[in-house]
Amino acid sequence: DERVFDEIKWYGWFIDYYMEGGLLRDMFTNKITTPLHWNMLMMPTVYTVYELRYDLVVGDDTVVEPTYDPNCALVSHGCEPVKVISAERLVTLDRGPAVGLEIADVLDGKEGMTVISPEARECIWRELIVNKKGLKTFIDRPNTEQEYTFTRGHLEKMVLELDRLIDKYSSVPFVTKETAQALVDLLTEHRALLIEDLAAGRFRRMNKRSASMAPERFQGLE
């Protein structure tokens, strides 16, 4: 349960990484960081969370020059997404066909890509998703996701992280980008579901170590 709070931060950090084209940021503070610190963050089994602290490695008052992941230079057009889509929407009967067409439109005409004719695309979606004639997808798994539950603190932390992301990508310089607005739409939908869970009391008590054993950053969390 304690680790979930870190994973919530990583969720937002992962989105920032791609939406900002591979800009190096600290996953815990969201601050722009140095290549040295970034390389340490990429080795979480080598360093402890304490050893990765931004104030310890970089310094809170340090002016950091924005740096981008050099691996993005190896990707055509960099790491920034050309399209933001929802896998959850892709498999729904009402919105799935439209999402499938969006994916096809992005791939159509790209070097090395052979995309079927437009008139056949919705049929292919129906055969794959509705008639189950393709490979298995996440919707074919047993209902294991229903077994996961969260604490009130988890849900509240998720809402705060979504608030941060929604506010960021609704503002300059992202407000004019189609990808950013598609992301905001998805995040806003997810936020509403979390608010519903909080209002309905769909959460449980936190399973954690005793207060004396829990790391300081987890003290008091529920």
Side-chain angles (χ1 to χ4, degrees), residues 38 42 63 86 110 119 144 156 164 173 186 209 216-217:
W38 173 266
M42 293 300 100
V63 177
S86 166
K110 296 297 187 295
E119 58 270 16
T144 52
E156 290 174 342
R164 181 188 74 82
L186 291 172
R209 290 169 281 183
E216 182 179 349
R217 61 203 181 95

Side-chain angles (χ1 to χ4, degrees), residues 19 83-86 89 102 169 174 177-189:
M19 293 301 293
K83 196 73 175 179
V84 173
I85 62 103
S86 166
R89 292 182 180 180
E102 288 184 36
Y169 294 106
F174 302 100
K177 292 190 175 184
E178 179 186 337
T179 50
Q181 297 321 296
L183 174 65
V184 168
D185 180 51
L186 291 172
L187 297 180
T188 301
E189 185 175 285

Side-chain angles (χ1 to χ4, degrees), residues 22-172:
L23 178 64
L24 306 189
R25 287 187 180 276
D26 174 33
M27 62 180 64
F28 297 106
T29 65
N30 302 124
K31 293 180 178 180
I32 295 175
T33 195
T34 63
L36 171 63
H37 188 216
W38 173 266
N39 290 333
M40 292 173 66
L41 290 168
M42 293 300 100
M43 296 185 287
T45 59
V46 176
Y47 300 98
T48 65
V49 171
Y50 178 82
E51 292 172 323
L52 292 172
R53 281 171 45 190
Y54 190 90
D55 62 334
L56 188 65
V57 180
V58 181
D60 285 332
D61 298 326
T62 302
V63 177
V64 180
E65 186 72 21
T67 308
Y68 292 82
D69 187 345
N71 290 309
C72 292
L74 306 177
V75 181
S76 300
H77 308 295
C79 288
E80 187 174 345
V82 297
K83 196 73 175 179
V84 173
I85 62 103
S86 166
E88 293 173 340
R89 292 182 180 180
L90 178 62
V91 299
T92 60
L93 296 180
D94 56 341
R95 294 187 284 189
V99 176
L101 292 177
E102 288 184 36
I103 296 172
D105 287 341
V106 171
L107 298 177
D108 201 5
K110 296 297 187 295
E111 184 178 355
M113 294 289 180
T114 302
V115 183
I116 59 173
S117 59
E119 58 270 16
R121 291 172 187 175
E122 189 168 338
C123 175
I124 290 297
W125 176 88
R126 189 182 310 108
E127 291 297 287
L128 292 173
I129 303 301
V130 179
N131 297 328
K132 308 291 185 182
K133 292 187 178 180
L135 298 174
K136 291 185 179 296
T137 69
F138 68 91
I139 59 175
D140 300 307
R141 299 172 185 166
N143 294 327
T144 52
E145 291 191 11
Q146 295 181 6
E147 299 173 5
Y148 290 96
T149 57
F150 297 100
T151 69
R152 182 184 63 189
H154 290 153
L155 298 179
E156 290 174 342
K157 183 71 172 179
M158 291 177 192
V159 170
L160 288 175
E161 185 64 16
L162 290 179
D163 284 342
R164 181 188 74 82
L165 292 167
I166 290 169
D167 180 66
K168 176 176 181 175
Y169 294 106
S170 297
S171 305
V172 177

Side-chain angles (χ1 to χ4, degrees), residues 159 190-200:
V159 170
H190 290 170
R191 184 186 186 282
L193 295 174
L194 292 173
I195 294 297
E196 286 182 12
D197 285 343
L198 282 167

Side-chain angles (χ1 to χ4, degrees), residues 2 206-216 218-222:
E2 293 167 352
M206 185 174 183
N207 297 320
K208 62 181 180 180
R209 290 169 281 183
S210 65
S212 61
M213 296 179 63
E216 182 179 349
F218 294 129
Q219 300 280 342
L221 294 175
E222 293 296 342

